């Protein structure tokens, strides 16, 4: 394909208002990228003769990015990223000029995705003094598009650019999670959750969004919201995407466990996350030794998945279940604290002191896992005669 033919094809689909087709000609993943006749270092003059502004700027910047990516010697990702940034700046100009029209949104989608992928590649290839600097700059470019879309409040519901918000938010969430700037996710999540179009976005986009919003809620210890977001993502993710379902389950499982729902072994087995089975068994038994062993055995898995601190929180549930067994054995609502200390020692916390035992019980009372109070004068835990150990699900 010659440059003249390529530009003619773009002009034809542009005049037909076919946003998806135009976007395909501007994607770095499309087959036209493999056409040597399109590798032009300075295509500006030829492009501006055939295409209107600012489409000509978008296409010129795209072709320059292709040139630096497909060079015979080696790809120059830094230069390709620089031109892709120019490409998205021209897209912002296009969005601002074309008022009350949203058929051009697919162009914004592909240019945004390619910008994020190129920024990631640059981070991997280049030794910058500050890790995440390129991705952060890419996020600023994506935010320019987001502001235009979010600010399009005058168009009708069919033509509004606000329908493109979620695609951009997902790109931004991916960047912020990668560079560990999770505090920047909050306004984006708030914008989508309060949007009138939150149910109008495509299911695929909503699944991606719920996955990231669920992880953010989990890190904020907002487990009820995390469970809602991640359950939506898991339930609606098609079965054939096993890898994605496994990824969601890695975060959904500890969240559900903290809310009192223990996972079934067959589900964990199906998605190869049996690391949680050992934990769930230990929590149910109130076996502190087995819990610590499970954490130690699968430590690297939990750390790499980013859930180590979350699974550590399950220890309080293990204590709760252990102390409930003590209550069931003694059948009294006034339990000597020595009984809890002995139970802890028997369960593997061999060097636990009485002060530490008091501290564990006090935490359980504070979190609503035990209904009662500690009588320091008599060194006893006085528990409620009714429902002394509330259901973990209700707590």
């Amino acid at each position: 394909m010659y440059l003249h033919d390529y530009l003619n094809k773009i002009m034809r689909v542009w005049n037909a208002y076919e946003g998806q087709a135009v976007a395909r000609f501007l994607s770095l993943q499309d087959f036209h990228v493999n056409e040597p006749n399109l590798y032009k270092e300075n295509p500006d003059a030829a492009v501006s003769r055939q295409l209107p502004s600012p489409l000509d700027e978008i296409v010129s910047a795209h072709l320059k990015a292709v040139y630096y990516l497909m060079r015979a010697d080696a790809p120059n990702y830094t230069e390709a990223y620089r031109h892709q940034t120019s490409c998205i700046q021209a897209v912002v100009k296009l969005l601002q000029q074309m008022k009350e029209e949203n058929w051009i949104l697919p162009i914004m989608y592909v240019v945004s995705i390619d910008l994020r992928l190129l920024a990631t590649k640059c981070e991997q290839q280049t030794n910058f003094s500050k890790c995440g600097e390129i991705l952060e700059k890419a996020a600023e470019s994506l935010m320019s598009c987001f502001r235009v879309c979010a600010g399009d409040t005058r168009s009708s519901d069919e033509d509004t650019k606000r329908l493109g918000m979620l695609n951009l938010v997902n790109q931004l969430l991916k960047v912020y999670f990668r560079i560990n700037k999770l505090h920047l996710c909050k306004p984006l999540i708030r914008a989508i959750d309060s949007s009138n179009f939150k149910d109008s976005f495509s299911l695929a986009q909503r699944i991606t969004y719920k996955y990231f919003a669920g992880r953010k809620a989990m890190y904020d210890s907002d487990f009820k919201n995390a469970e809602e977001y991640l359950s939506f993502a898991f339930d609606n993710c098609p079965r054939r995407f096993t890898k994605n379902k496994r990824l969601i389950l890695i975060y959904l499982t500890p969240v559900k466990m903290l809310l009192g729902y223990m996972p079934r072994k067959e589900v964990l087995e199906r998605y190869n996350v049996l690391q949680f089975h050992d934990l769930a068994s230990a929590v149910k038994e109130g076996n502190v030794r087995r819990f610590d062993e499970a954490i130690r055995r699968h430590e690297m898995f939990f750390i790499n998945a980013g859930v180590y601190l979350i699974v550590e929180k399950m220890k309080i549930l293990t204590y709760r279940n252990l102390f409930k067994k003590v209550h069931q054995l003694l059948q009294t609502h006034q339990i000597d604290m020595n009984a809890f200390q002995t139970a802890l020692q028997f369960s593997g916390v061999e060097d636990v002191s009485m002060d530490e035992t008091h501290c564990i019980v006090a935490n359980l009372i504070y979190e609503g896992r035990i209904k009662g109070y500690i009588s320091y004068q008599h060194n006893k835990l006085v528990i409620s005669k009714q429902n002394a150990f509330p259901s973990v699900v209700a707590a």
Side-chain angles (χ1 to χ4, degrees), residues 323 337-338 340-341 344 352-365 374-381:
F323 293 168
M337 292 298 289
N338 288 307
F340 292 129
Q341 186 182 20
L344 286 168
V352 67
S353 68
M354 182 52 72
D355 283 344
E356 286 169 321
T357 306
H358 276 261
C359 189
I360 292 167
V361 173
N363 274 328
L364 285 164
I365 294 169
I374 299 171
S375 169
Y376 288 94
Q377 188 180 354
H378 301 100
N379 197 35
K380 287 182 186 291
L381 171 67

Side-chain angles (χ1 to χ4, degrees), residues 17 28 52 58 89 104-106 108 132 156 171 180 220 223 268 281:
Y17 304 104
L28 294 175
I58 297 170
Q89 286 166 354
I104 49 173
L105 286 176
M108 180 187 74
S156 65
Q171 298 305 320
N180 199 25
D220 290 341
F223 299 119
L268 299 177
S281 302

Side-chain angles (χ1 to χ4, degrees), residues 122-366:
C122 285
E123 290 276 357
Q124 292 165 351
Q125 301 280 327
T126 320
N127 292 321
F128 268 76
S129 55
K130 191 179 173 188
C131 183
E133 192 174 5
I134 303 172
L135 276 164
E136 201 166 344
K137 283 181 180 169
E140 288 169 16
S141 298
L142 294 174
M143 275 304 293
S144 301
C145 289
F146 178 77
R147 287 188 199 101
V148 176
C149 292
D152 186 24
T153 53
R154 294 188 178 182
S155 304
S156 65
D157 287 357
E158 295 78 28
D159 299 323
T160 184
K161 294 181 182 70
R162 282 182 290 168
L163 292 169
M165 283 167 60
L166 189 58
N167 187 289
L168 288 167
V169 164
N170 286 340
Q171 298 305 320
L172 286 161
L173 290 174
K174 286 175 184 178
V175 171
Y176 293 148
F177 267 82
R178 192 175 185 95
I179 63 176
N180 199 25
K181 296 219 167 178
L182 301 191
H183 63 284
L184 297 173
C185 300
K186 201 168 185 177
L188 299 174
I189 292 169
R190 200 184 303 122
I192 295 301
D193 284 349
S194 62
S195 169
N196 297 331
F197 302 96
K198 63 182 176 186
D199 298 322
S200 307
F201 301 118
S202 74
L203 182 60
Q205 290 294 333
R206 281 190 286 156
I207 290 168
T208 304
Y209 167 72
K210 298 278 188 181
Y211 165 71
F212 283 106
R215 284 179 64 188
K216 175 69 172 74
M218 180 189 77
Y219 292 134
D220 290 341
S221 297
D222 183 2
F223 299 119
K224 290 214 167 127
N225 267 329
E227 194 263 340
E228 187 185 320
Y229 285 130
L230 292 167
S231 291
F232 178 95
F234 185 77
D235 294 341
N236 289 281
C237 183
R239 272 193 162 189
R240 67 182 183 277
F241 298 117
T242 314
K243 187 181 172 185
N244 288 355
K245 284 186 85 79
R246 179 180 184 269
L247 208 53
I248 298 164
L249 202 61
I250 286 171
Y251 302 100
L252 179 58
T253 303
V255 165
K256 279 213 170 254
M257 286 171 72
L258 281 166
L259 291 173
Y261 302 98
M262 294 300 147
R264 296 199 311 274
K265 187 178 180 180
E266 56 266 30
V267 175
L268 299 177
E269 212 161 21
R270 189 186 311 151
Y271 294 102
N272 190 27
V273 282
L274 275 171
Q275 292 89 340
F276 290 107
H277 176 66
D278 295 342
L279 271 183
S281 302
V283 171
K284 276 192 277 191
E285 290 172 18
N287 191 328
V288 183
R289 182 188 285 109
R290 190 174 172 188
F291 180 89
D292 288 341
E293 283 170 0
I295 291 275
R296 266 197 305 275
R297 196 180 315 123
H298 306 299
E299 186 178 41
M300 287 318 297
F301 169 79
F302 295 135
I303 289 171
N304 292 334
V307 295
Y308 184 84
L309 294 177
I310 304 299
V311 295
E312 269 283 344
K313 291 186 180 199
M314 291 177 206
K315 197 163 194 174
I316 200 80
L317 299 183
T318 315
Y319 289 138
R320 177 248 182 217
N321 292 341
L322 174 65
F323 293 168
K324 187 178 179 182
K325 286 183 176 180
V326 172
H327 166 60
Q328 287 168 341
L329 279 170
L330 298 177
Q331 289 294 309
T332 175
H333 69 281
Q334 293 186 10
I335 307 167
D336 196 306
M337 292 298 289
N338 288 307
F340 292 129
Q341 186 182 20
T342 304
L344 286 168
Q345 289 167 341
F346 179 78
S347 189
V349 194
E350 289 162 9
D351 57 348
V352 67
S353 68
M354 182 52 72
D355 283 344
E356 286 169 321
T357 306
H358 276 261
C359 189
I360 292 167
V361 173
N363 274 328
L364 285 164
I365 294 169
Y366 174 74

